[in-house]
Amino acid sequence: MDLSQKIAVVTGGSRGIGAAIVSALQEKGARVITCGRGDRPHDLHPDVDWQQLDVSNKDDVDALKSHIQSQYGGLHMLVNNAGVQVEKTVTESSDDDWDQVMGINAKGVFFMCRAMIPLMAASGGGAIVNIGSISGHHADPSMALYNASKAFVHGLTRSIAVDHGHEKIRCNAICPGWIMTGMADAAFDLAKDPDLAKRDALARHAAGRFGAPQDIAKAAVYLLSDEAGFVTGQTLTVDGGLVAASPLQPGLF
Amino acid sequence: MTDSPLLNRVAIVTGGTGGIGTAICARLHREGARVIAVDRDAPKTEMPEGMRYIPLDVTSEDSVKAMIADVEGHENQVDILVNAAGIEIEKTIEDTSLEEWNLIFAVNVTGTFLVSKMVLPLMRKTGAGSIINFGSYDGFIADPHLAAYCATKGAVHALTRAMACDHGQDNIRVNAICPGYIDTPMLQSFFGDSGDIESLKTAVRDVHPIGRYGTPDDVAGLVNWLAGDEARYASGQLWVLDGGLTAQVQQMKL
């Protein structure tokens, strides 16, 4: 899979899944622009173009579009990875929680797609990968707005695929399961018995391990490449078999 | 609604003397229907007036034909068919023999096919009907060591949609109920040798959003609704009845 001379923008590329996607695209030869609300990460490859911005801010997104237009002259790949989670139920969630979760996870994806689709169409077509979640299909407790925001991402993914297919733009979503990032480690540390919790969680994965950011990056590279030329409008679950299994497994108790 | 919304309706319930089937027969009977419980196994208690038993092997074409002839001779109408007969085999595919595979498909899939096929003419003659098949949440996601069972339930789901498409024009609705954990002998068998049954039951209750597992009466309630006129626009659907179990991502014990 050669992506050399292809231009890609990845949101939220400073760490975790986003950073893994940035590295994977770069290894395949793509010219990668990534962004985040903070300063340029120290460990970011020098060839990667870092833009400090907030995807939920329309002016920021428009500025990014102008930057890509003037510096690169086009765009082939877009990965909407930036996302936040607030661990609350509906009744606990404040207006600010709504603005933050829906602003970044939903409105941010909309802003980015609205700005970048014309650039991709003018470049002869391209591919979009949105990061959805298994939580957009099945609910994680006390993650109400997050779950809903991911369901929005899945719906928007299908709409873009349907509406912009004739412009040679494909759009798919990846639904990660448990990917080991700093966030997951912190969750286990909070358990009454972290070792037991980890064993229980592992037993629920047919793959016998948790996911790594690279697992999602590999799926993203596939969906962005011509190898997936006939794949569009889909949500691809990458979870080691977690949601294929019943949540009730007597063997675990 | 009248006090007996299913008055003058005739219902056939396969697996009608089993765990869930018994509760379905009792509920439909209470709602006014004349109920015919068909099963391999005779009922353990005497049946009330308005309910009768016909022996049936759902895997045998001759047995199904004889049962239909009996119903034609006596009631000469069928408004409701509940395909509740089913078995499970607790094995992976490697451990499942061809005989076992054929047996579970014969009961769970062929049985649903045969009884439905032969009831259809009588139902058409009656003028309208509701067929209720038994799928399972296992037709969507897998329980370990239930491979053939999961496959049969997936087949029932597809058959349900196909039958709804084909027979809607005859005013016959077809739906499937997809139960989660229902307290039946089959569930007790699945708990089997998993250790301390009480702590197991507590764990099972805890993982359900509504805090308990289901009862045969819960299933009978949905059968009653799908059978009756309140559900007159419901067809071709797979109704998951699981206390919210599969709405969640798997609940790890943290």
Side-chain angles (χ1 to χ4, degrees):
Chain A
M1 239 176 281
D2 183 21
L3 300 178
S4 53
Q5 298 317 307
K6 299 276 188 181
I7 301 149
V9 59
V10 179
T11 69
S14 67
R15 60 197 151 93
I17 292 171
I21 295 173
V22 167
S23 296
L25 290 176
Q26 208 198 5
E27 277 165 26
K28 302 289 179 194
R31 300 165 70 194
V32 186
I33 305 128
T34 189
C35 60
R37 287 177 291 178
D39 292 330
R40 181 188 180 93
H42 299 299
D43 53 356
L44 194 65
H45 192 283
D47 291 346
V48 175
D49 180 354
W50 175 261
Q51 297 291 314
Q52 187 174 351
L53 63 89
D54 178 352
V55 292
S56 69
N57 181 311
K58 192 159 73 79
D59 294 339
D60 280 7
V61 172
D62 288 343
L64 177 66
K65 180 184 181 180
S66 303
H67 170 74
I68 294 172
Q69 245 169 341
S70 63
Q71 296 298 310
Y72 300 86
L75 182 69
H76 307 103
M77 296 177 275
L78 164 62
V79 180
N80 285 302
N81 161 76
V84 292
Q85 72 183 50
V86 169
E87 288 150 22
K88 293 181 182 176
T89 67
V90 161
T91 51
E92 292 161 356
S93 298
S94 67
D95 293 6
D96 287 345
D97 293 331
W98 168 270
D99 289 341
Q100 193 197 357
V101 174
M102 297 307 284
I104 293 175
N105 297 9
K107 196 163 74 172
V109 174
F110 160 60
F111 281 167
M112 286 296 295
C113 290
R114 188 174 61 177
M116 302 304 161
I117 285 170
L119 274 185
M120 298 170 88
S123 308
I128 300 172
V129 167
N130 295 323
I131 302 300
S133 173
I134 57 171
S135 312
H137 289 129
H138 304 275
D140 263 319
S142 291
M143 297 268 272
L145 297 180
Y146 177 82
N147 296 341
S149 74
K150 291 304 185 180
F152 166 88
V153 169
H154 301 166
L156 191 75
T157 297
R158 289 185 282 265
S159 297
I160 289 171
V162 168
D163 291 340
H164 299 284
H166 67 95
E167 295 168 280
K168 297 200 188 327
I169 290 170
R170 294 183 299 104
C171 184
N172 294 287
I174 297 173
C175 306
W178 274 54
I179 306 303
M180 284 316 273
T181 59
M183 211 154 61
D185 269 332
F188 283 122
D189 288 341
L190 288 174
K192 274 173 266 168
D193 182 342
D195 286 342
L196 181 71
K198 213 161 202 167
R199 272 206 308 280
D200 175 88
L202 271 177
R204 293 172 191 276
H205 286 77
R209 65 174 178 87
F210 301 122
Q214 288 72 23
D215 290 313
I216 305 305
K218 285 174 191 166
V221 168
Y222 163 71
L223 288 172
L224 290 167
S225 76
D226 290 342
E227 299 283 311
F230 201 52
V231 183
T232 192
Q234 294 302 303
T235 57
L236 175 65
T237 297
V238 181
D239 71 345
L242 182 66
V243 300
S246 161
L248 261 176
Q249 301 185 32
L252 295 177
F253 299 113
Chain B
M1 268 209 287
T2 64
D3 287 344
S4 302
L6 298 182
L7 198 65
N8 299 323
R9 308 278 169 94
V10 173
I12 296 175
V13 181
T14 76
T17 65
I20 291 177
T22 302
I24 293 170
C25 288
R27 179 64 192 267
L28 295 179
H29 181 258
R30 203 165 78 229
E31 301 293 335
R34 276 183 292 162
V35 178
I36 304 155
V38 297
D39 205 310
R40 272 179 325 186
D41 304 321
K44 289 178 192 69
T45 55
E46 203 176 322
M47 289 190 154
E49 197 187 328
M51 196 190 297
R52 69 188 186 103
Y53 166 74
I54 303 177
L56 175 74
D57 173 0
V58 295
T59 69
S60 156
E61 190 165 13
D62 289 343
S63 178
V64 176
K65 270 184 184 157
M67 183 271 288
I68 295 291
D70 186 331
V71 173
E72 257 182 324
H74 288 88
E75 288 82 5
N76 198 28
Q77 97 185 51
V78 178
D79 302 271
I80 299 156
L81 168 64
V82 184
N83 286 305
I87 58 170
E88 79 176 25
I89 289 173
E90 290 153 20
K91 295 182 177 177
T92 69
I93 62 161
E94 275 193 292
D95 297 334
T96 304
S97 68
L98 180 58
E99 287 73 20
E100 288 171 324
W101 174 269
N102 287 339
L103 173 67
I104 193 169
F105 267 81
V107 175
N108 295 6
V109 186
T110 309
T112 298
F113 153 72
L114 267 182
V115 179
S116 301
K117 171 187 166 73
M118 296 196 191
V119 159
L120 275 170
L122 203 47
M123 206 171 244
R124 203 177 284 121
K125 202 162 77 183
T126 305
S130 173
I131 298 178
I132 297 149
N133 294 332
F134 269 76
S136 171
Y137 83 120
D138 276 330
F140 298 105
I141 57 178
D143 264 313
H145 301 279
L146 278 176
Y149 179 79
C150 291
T152 62
K153 293 306 181 177
V156 168
H157 294 179
L159 182 64
T160 298
R161 286 191 281 243
M163 285 163 58
C165 288
D166 289 341
H167 308 295
Q169 61 194 10
D170 294 324
N171 212 10
I172 292 169
R173 297 181 292 106
V174 187
N175 291 280
I177 295 177
C178 312
Y181 269 53
I182 309 295
D183 194 4
T184 61
M186 201 190 269
L187 178 65
Q188 299 299 336
S189 159
F190 184 59
F191 282 158
D193 49 3
S194 297
D196 174 9
I197 215 88
E198 277 315 310
S199 68
L200 185 57
K201 285 180 174 173
T202 304
V204 168
R205 277 191 284 269
D206 287 349
V207 80
H208 285 81
I210 66 168
R212 63 178 181 88
Y213 42 91
T215 67
D217 285 341
D218 291 326
V219 178
L222 182 51
V223 170
N224 176 54
W225 180 74
L226 287 169
D229 294 340
E230 292 286 297
R232 64 176 79 87
Y233 200 55
S235 193
Q237 292 302 305
L238 312 172
W239 301 84
V240 177
L241 185 72
D242 70 350
L245 180 66
T246 56
Q248 337 165 74
V249 173
Q250 283 207 42
Q251 293 313 290
M252 326 245 177
K253 298 206 288 186
L254 296 178

